[in-house]
């Protein structure tokens, strides 16, 4: 069978795989098993699993093809877990364990390698590998006989995911999910990859998953020295990668020229026709819209503005955007933003909402405001829990007419379906949304806008509603109903900013409910936990959980001027310093000082589909410095920026969220106060309208009624002290570091003050 090479960028050893004695012969099933290839589980475990299945009630539909009269033939330990992803695998014939000492103790006791599979509930290729390999009884039997198998939900355990993703990237030069990693009982990886087809020849591969697990299992038994050598080299590469052995703190805060260098790279790679970068697939995060808007504001660079606005326009017009139900899909598989990967993630929709709101502020384009409203309404209608938190994601796959799960089938339309639902309105709808007889996706149509026109969009509102109601009759994609603190923090920001910018109380109310839920149910001992589902929490919270929720609370404070949100945000930021800070080099670790020890402790320094916790924590510190006038927060931010200096100088494109913080640091943020006489908030509305529509990203905003509440607020925000309505009229103050322009009551003069910009 030869060699399976571990092509490690860090110089890792190659692992020799000796021929399997079993070859391709059918394995003999051992007698008296309840999972293929395994002896019966202890009676207490079997009883616990049976009780867990029974407790799910008569409506429970096991996710497996192995059914006996509707009941699952197999059940493993994952049925005890709250994670929707782990529960998807609870009835595989594989003897899955959740991540934990029980599994590794079994590996040590039985002298077996560990097979670790990491994914998430809405991952299309995770579903494919499950159906092809983990539901296959022959493959499961071999795994159960020769391995201890562990499943991890990457969304619940980003720390575990980061360690073993580093191993995959070091071995293969790439990464993704499902992640497949072979470990020793000491949790050290010795081989890794992503998706593997089940058998030799499937999808054109020479070695399928079954061959690979046989070869690696044989190598583990027969040549432990080779395995040990490969593991040692790979562990070293992972530690160097994650702990920054060659990435010591820089000489200080980077100069703003790194922002210009990043924008220059984006200009060279920009797609002038469809927006985004000239590549496929296209991810929304590939073009940092908010950075381009800030760069234009500080420099007047019209091309940067054009790049941002064109990308916003084309994304909203394409199939990336759900034209019928609102919300953005994960990414586009093509260069036109037409054919998406159909899963919807909470974090994408949160981040894009804020980008569209800032695009609206900068350009005044009402279509951008409309898209933001539609996304927030989609989240309120389909992704909000009864308690007020936000669900994580919906799947790309759903059952088609023949019952088989297919990607995108929920979202696409034939022209016949369109005509049946819309009748005479179908022609106008088809013309606007590009619906044809031949289709644009596997014989069906993904609605997309050929020529954006807000008047036509408005005229088709009734048709869209009819299609939405018809679509609701289809079997929907799976919804991952776990509530993640970090992603809820991002959506909290989206609703708070949306409520303020769009002057929509419903959105502020949704943000307030979410904040109350997070602080009541997901804050423990001053820190955020990671996840919540049906009253159960995953107790470990990570850097991004603290940072993203703290940021959302700051945005909610700006929307409400309620000091409890500022107090809670500052408390989370202080807890972040106490439990996550890297005291030697500045910045922060992903996991807390008292978290589970892993092979390496990540110092996050990359902004991808989500911002890094580091970038958001830096911005939080800068915002708290402006609000609280406490230089300690400025020191925290500057140490964080200095810790990123080498990477920002080398490639700012990997840290565009950190560049937002650098833009703020290089500015003098505005301290904006709008104050009105008691009981006369309506008189302040013209001034509030000015600031909500103005693009002033580097600011600290307080809108409040004069009197005792404003005086009490000065405890948290010193710069509101002494701000009074002039002549009994609502008044706006614009200050920088305590030095204020003349107070104004006229909206036009207020707008002129806000338009002043300090160049780099």
């Amino acid at each position: 069978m030869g060699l399976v090479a571990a092509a490690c960028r860090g110089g890792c050893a190659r692992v020799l795989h000796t021929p399997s004695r079993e070859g391709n012969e059918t394995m003999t099933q051992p007698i008296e098993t309840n999972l293929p290839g395994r002896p019966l589980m202890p009676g207490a475990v079997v009883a616990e699993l049976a009780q867990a299945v029974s407790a799910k009630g008569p409506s429970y539909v096991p996710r497996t093809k192995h059914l006996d009269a509707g009941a699952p033939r197999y059940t493993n330990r994952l049925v005890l877990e709250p994670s929707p992803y782990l529960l998807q695998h609870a009835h595989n014939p594989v003897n899955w364990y959740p991540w934990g000492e029980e599994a590794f103790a079994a590996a040590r006791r039985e002298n077996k390698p560990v097979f670790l599979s990491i994914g998430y509930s809405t991952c299309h290729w995770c579903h494919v590998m499950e159906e092809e390999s983990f539901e296959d009884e022959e493959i499961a039997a071999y795994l159960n006989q020769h391995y201890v198998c562990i499943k991890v939900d990457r969304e619940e355990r980003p720390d575990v995911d980061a360690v073993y993703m580093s191993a995959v990237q070091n071995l293969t030069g790439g990464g993704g999910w499902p992640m497949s990693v072979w470990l020793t009982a000491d949790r050290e990886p010795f081989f890794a990859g992503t998706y593997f087809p089940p058998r030799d020849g499937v999808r054109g591969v020479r070695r399928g998953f079954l061959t690979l697990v046989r070869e690696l299992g044989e190598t583990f038994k027969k040549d432990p020295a080779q395995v040990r050598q490969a593991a040692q080299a790979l562990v070293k590469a992972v530690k160097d990668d994650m702990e920054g052995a060659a990435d010591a703190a820089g000489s200080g805060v980077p100069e703003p020229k790194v922002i210009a260098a990043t924008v220059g790279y984006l200009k060279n790679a920009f797609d002038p026709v469809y927006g985004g970068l000239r590549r496929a697939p296209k991810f929304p995060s590939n073009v940092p819209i908010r950075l381009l808007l800030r760069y234009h504001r500080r420099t007047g660079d019209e091309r940067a503005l054009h790049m941002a606005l064109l990308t916003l326009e084309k994304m909203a017009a394409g199939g990336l955007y759900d034209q019928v139900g609102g919300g953005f899909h994960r990414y586009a598989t093509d260069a036109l933003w037409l054919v998406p990967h159909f899963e919807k993630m909470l974090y994408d929709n949160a981040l894009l909402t804020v980008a569209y709101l800032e695009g609206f502020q900068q350009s005044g384009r009402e279509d951008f405001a409309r898209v933001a409203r539609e996304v927030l309404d989609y989240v309120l209608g389909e992704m909000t829990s009864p308690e007020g938190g936000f669900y994580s994601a919906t799947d790309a796959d759903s059952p088609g007419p023949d019952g088989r799960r297919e990607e995108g089938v929920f979202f696409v339309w034939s022209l016949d379906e369109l005509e049946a639902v819309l009748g005479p309105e179908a022609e106008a709808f088809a013309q606007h949304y590009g619906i044809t007889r031949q289709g644009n996706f596997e014989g069906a149509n993904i609605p997309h806008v050929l020529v954006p026109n807000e008047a036509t969009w408005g005229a088709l509102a009734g048709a869209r509603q009819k299609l939405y109601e018809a679509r609701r009759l289809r079997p929907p994609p799976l919804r991952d109903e776990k509530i993640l603190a970090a992603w809820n923090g991002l959506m909290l920001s989206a609703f708070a900013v949306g409520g303020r910018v769009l002057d929509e109380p419903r959105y502020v109310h949704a943000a307030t409910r979410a904040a109350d839920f997070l602080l009541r149910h997901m804050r423990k001992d001053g820190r955020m936990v990671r996840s919540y589902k049906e009253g159960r929490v995953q107790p470990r919270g990570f850097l991004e959980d603290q940072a993203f929720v703290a940021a959302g609370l700051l945005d909610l404070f700006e929307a409400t001027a309620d000091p409890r949100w500022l107090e809670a945000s500052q408390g989370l930021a202080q807890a972040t310093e106490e439990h996550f800070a890297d005291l030697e080099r500045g910045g922060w670790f992903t996991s807390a000082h008292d978290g589970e020890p892993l092979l390496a402790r990540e110092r996050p320094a990359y902004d991808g589909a989500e911002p890094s916790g580091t970038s958001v924590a830096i911005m939080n510190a800068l915002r708290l410095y402006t609000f609280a006038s406490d230089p300690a927060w400025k020191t925290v931010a500057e140490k964080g920026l200095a810790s990123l200096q080498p990477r920002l100088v080398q490639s700012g494109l990997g840290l565009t969220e950190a560049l937002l913080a650098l833009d703020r640091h290089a500015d003098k943020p505005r301290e904006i106060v709008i104050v009105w006489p008691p009981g006369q908030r309506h008189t302040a509305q013209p001034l509030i309208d000015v600031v909500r529509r103005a693009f002033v990203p580097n600011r600290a905003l307080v809108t409040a009624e004069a009197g005792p509440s404003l005086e009490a607020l000065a405890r948290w925000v010193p710069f509101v002290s002494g701000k009074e309505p002039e002549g009994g009229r609502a008044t706006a103050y614009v200050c920088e570091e305590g030095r204020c322009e003349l107070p104004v009551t006229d909206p036009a003069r207020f707008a002129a003050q806000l338009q002043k910009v300090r160049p780099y």
Side-chain angles (χ1 to χ4, degrees):
M1 292 186 180
L3 292 171
V4 176
C8 176
R9 294 194 310 245
C12 302
R14 289 166 51 175
V15 183
L16 177 65
H17 303 289
T18 55
S20 167
R21 291 180 179 176
E22 294 174 341
N24 292 321
E25 297 174 7
T26 303
M27 297 169 52
T28 302
Q29 289 281 354
I31 60 171
E32 204 176 36
T33 63
N34 60 338
L35 288 171
R38 290 290 299 176
L40 279 169
M41 292 180 179
V45 175
V46 173
E48 187 179 17
L49 303 188
Q51 183 179 8
V53 174
S54 176
K56 296 183 182 299
S59 62
Y60 178 57
V61 179
R63 182 188 168 100
T64 180
K65 66 183 180 183
H66 302 292
L67 298 170
D68 295 321
R73 187 179 308 160
Y74 305 115
T75 300
N76 58 61
R77 289 167 174 82
L78 299 186
V79 78
L80 305 174
E81 299 299 308
S83 160
Y85 175 63
L86 299 187
L87 289 171
Q88 287 177 359
H89 293 267
H91 301 293
N92 295 160
V94 176
N95 185 33
W96 292 117
Y97 286 80
W99 178 272
E101 179 53 30
E102 181 186 10
F104 290 104
R108 288 192 295 270
R109 183 174 61 250
E110 299 174 23
N111 191 29
K112 291 180 179 178
V114 170
F115 173 68
L116 171 65
S117 176
I118 301 179
Y120 56 101
S121 69
T122 57
C123 165
H124 172 72
W125 285 101
C126 299
H127 302 333
V128 172
M129 192 164 179
E130 176 191 15
E131 183 175 341
E132 291 178 343
S133 293
F134 305 144
E135 282 280 279
D136 185 293
E137 290 172 303
E138 181 187 9
I139 293 175
Y142 191 88
L143 286 170
N144 294 343
Q145 281 187 315
H146 300 281
Y147 289 86
V148 171
C149 299
I150 297 177
K151 264 283 175 193
V152 167
D153 182 340
R154 67 171 293 262
E155 295 169 354
E156 285 201 336
R157 291 302 303 267
D159 55 339
V160 173
D161 178 68
V163 168
Y164 296 105
M165 181 59 74
S166 176
V168 172
Q169 290 169 337
N170 271 280
L171 281 166
T172 69
W177 299 274
M179 195 193 310
S180 304
V181 191
W182 283 257
L183 315 177
T184 70
D186 294 326
R187 312 185 188 204
E188 296 180 341
F190 60 91
F191 192 81
T194 53
Y195 161 78
F196 293 101
R199 287 175 170 79
D200 302 351
V202 176
R203 302 185 194 275
V205 301
R206 192 160 62 92
R207 281 187 178 82
F209 182 65
L210 180 57
T211 296
L212 192 58
V213 295
R214 283 173 170 167
E215 290 180 342
L216 290 168
E218 287 294 307
T219 300
F220 183 87
K221 288 190 298 185
K222 294 182 176 182
D223 202 344
Q226 288 262 15
V227 170
R228 188 163 53 251
Q229 180 183 1
Q232 288 172 349
L234 189 50
V235 167
K236 181 182 185 303
V238 168
K239 288 184 175 180
D240 288 349
D241 179 32
M242 296 187 64
E243 296 179 350
D247 197 30
S251 57
V253 175
E255 296 293 327
K257 63 184 179 182
V258 302
I259 299 175
T262 302
V263 173
Y265 173 86
L266 291 167
K267 288 178 178 178
N268 291 331
F270 187 70
D271 182 340
V273 178
Y274 295 105
L277 301 187
R278 291 192 302 270
R279 65 172 64 164
K282 278 186 173 177
F283 289 82
S285 58
N286 287 155
V287 173
I289 302 295
R290 299 176 66 211
L291 181 67
L292 291 172
L293 294 176
R294 282 157 177 75
Y295 186 75
H296 165 74
R297 174 178 174 268
R298 301 289 291 278
T299 66
D301 188 317
E302 290 298 327
R303 190 175 176 201
L305 177 63
H306 171 74
M307 290 162 62
L309 301 186
L310 180 67
T311 302
L312 290 173
E313 176 184 304
K314 294 298 185 180
M315 288 193 300
L320 179 77
Y321 186 65
D322 181 355
Q323 305 292 341
V324 172
F328 285 90
H329 298 294
R330 181 70 193 88
Y331 62 86
T333 63
D334 58 6
L336 286 66
W337 302 109
L338 173 60
V339 179
H341 181 43
F342 287 91
E343 64 183 320
K344 290 183 180 179
M345 310 300 293
L346 186 70
Y347 60 80
D348 283 321
N349 284 283
L351 294 166
L352 284 167
T353 295
V354 176
Y356 276 87
L357 290 167
E358 291 191 350
F360 161 66
Q361 289 179 316
Q362 178 63 58
S363 68
R365 288 181 54 164
E366 291 294 336
D367 56 332
F368 293 166
R370 184 257 300 169
V371 169
R373 287 190 187 94
E374 289 178 344
V375 174
L376 294 175
D377 288 342
Y378 151 71
V379 173
L380 278 178
E382 299 186 26
M383 298 297 287
T384 303
S385 74
E387 306 101 320
F390 305 114
Y391 298 135
S392 293
T394 56
D395 209 330
D397 302 350
S398 54
D402 60 358
R404 294 178 62 250
R405 296 181 63 83
E406 301 176 48
E407 183 172 7
V409 67
F410 181 77
F411 298 98
V412 298
W413 301 86
S414 69
L415 187 56
D416 288 343
E417 288 173 321
L418 200 73
E419 291 170 344
V421 174
L422 297 183
E425 295 177 282
E427 183 177 356
F429 189 94
Q431 185 174 0
H432 184 68
Y433 287 105
I435 309 299
T436 65
R437 185 70 62 189
Q438 64 270 24
N440 56 31
F441 177 73
E442 299 179 357
N445 290 273
I446 302 167
H448 64 291
V449 177
L450 298 177
V451 180
N453 184 305
E454 285 299 283
T456 304
W457 172 86
L460 293 172
R464 282 193 305 277
Q465 185 61 33
K466 290 177 183 178
L467 289 176
Y468 180 76
E469 293 300 330
R471 196 174 77 176
R472 291 179 65 182
L473 301 177
R474 299 174 175 176
L478 176 146
R479 183 172 64 188
D480 186 331
E481 296 188 353
K482 70 174 178 292
I483 296 171
L484 295 171
W487 298 4
N488 271 246
L490 295 175
M491 190 53 74
L492 169 58
S493 285
F495 272 104
V497 175
R500 184 180 66 79
V501 171
L502 301 175
D503 194 23
E504 180 51 79
R506 289 187 305 121
Y507 300 155
V508 177
H509 176 67
T512 301
R513 284 189 72 219
D516 278 329
F517 169 80
L518 289 167
L519 296 178
R520 185 169 63 252
H521 294 288
M522 298 185 68
R523 182 174 58 170
K524 183 178 181 181
D525 299 327
R527 285 188 268 173
M528 302 306 301
V529 301
R530 177 61 178 175
S531 67
Y532 173 99
K533 187 173 185 294
E534 298 174 351
R536 295 176 63 181
V537 298
Q538 203 278 71
R540 296 179 183 84
F542 301 99
L543 172 63
E544 62 186 37
D545 298 304
Q546 323 309 314
F548 294 4
V549 174
L553 293 168
L554 286 173
D555 288 322
L556 184 54
F557 173 72
E558 288 197 313
T560 64
D562 186 336
R564 64 178 168 143
W565 308 128
L566 182 57
E567 180 182 7
S569 178
Q570 184 165 302
L572 285 177
Q574 289 171 336
T576 302
E577 291 307 298
E578 293 170 11
H579 299 287
F580 295 86
D582 184 339
L583 301 178
E584 294 183 5
R585 293 176 288 184
W588 300 268
F589 295 101
T590 293
S591 57
H593 301 322
D594 56 357
E596 178 186 357
L598 299 174
L599 292 181
R601 194 174 176 205
E602 183 187 29
R603 299 171 69 245
Y606 177 76
D607 298 319
E610 304 168 57
S612 71
T614 297
S615 296
V616 177
I618 293 170
M619 179 65 88
N620 289 345
L622 289 170
R623 294 178 72 182
L624 287 169
Y625 168 59
T626 308
F627 276 117
S629 302
D630 182 350
W633 288 117
K634 185 177 183 181
T635 299
V636 167
E638 290 180 341
K639 289 176 66 177
L641 285 169
S643 75
L644 298 178
Q645 191 260 3
R647 295 198 179 195
L648 285 170
V649 170
Q650 181 180 8
S651 177
L653 195 62
L655 279 163
T656 55
E657 290 286 332
L659 293 179
L660 302 185
L662 182 61
D663 174 77
R664 185 181 182 107
H665 182 270
D667 202 355
K668 287 190 177 180
R670 304 292 180 85
E671 301 155 359
I672 303 170
V673 180
I674 299 175
V675 60
W676 56 86
Q680 298 185 36
R681 187 190 186 283
H682 64 283
T683 65
Q685 193 60 48
L687 296 174
I688 293 173
D689 286 343
V690 168
V691 76
R692 73 179 180 84
R693 295 183 70 98
F695 183 56
V696 188
N698 301 331
R699 55 146 216 284
L701 172 66
V702 177
T703 57
E705 180 178 285
S709 61
L710 184 64
E711 294 170 7
L713 191 58
R715 172 190 171 194
W716 299 99
V717 187
F719 66 71
V720 306
S721 182
K723 304 298 190 293
E724 297 289 343
E726 290 280 311
R729 300 173 63 189
T731 304
Y733 294 81
V734 178
C735 311
E736 292 179 356
E737 297 179 343
R739 293 183 293 275
C740 301
E741 299 194 41
L742 290 174
V744 294
T745 58
D746 175 52
R749 292 180 62 193
F750 181 37
Q753 290 180 349
L754 294 180
Q755 288 171 3
K756 296 178 182 178
V757 176
R758 174 174 285 99
Y760 288 129

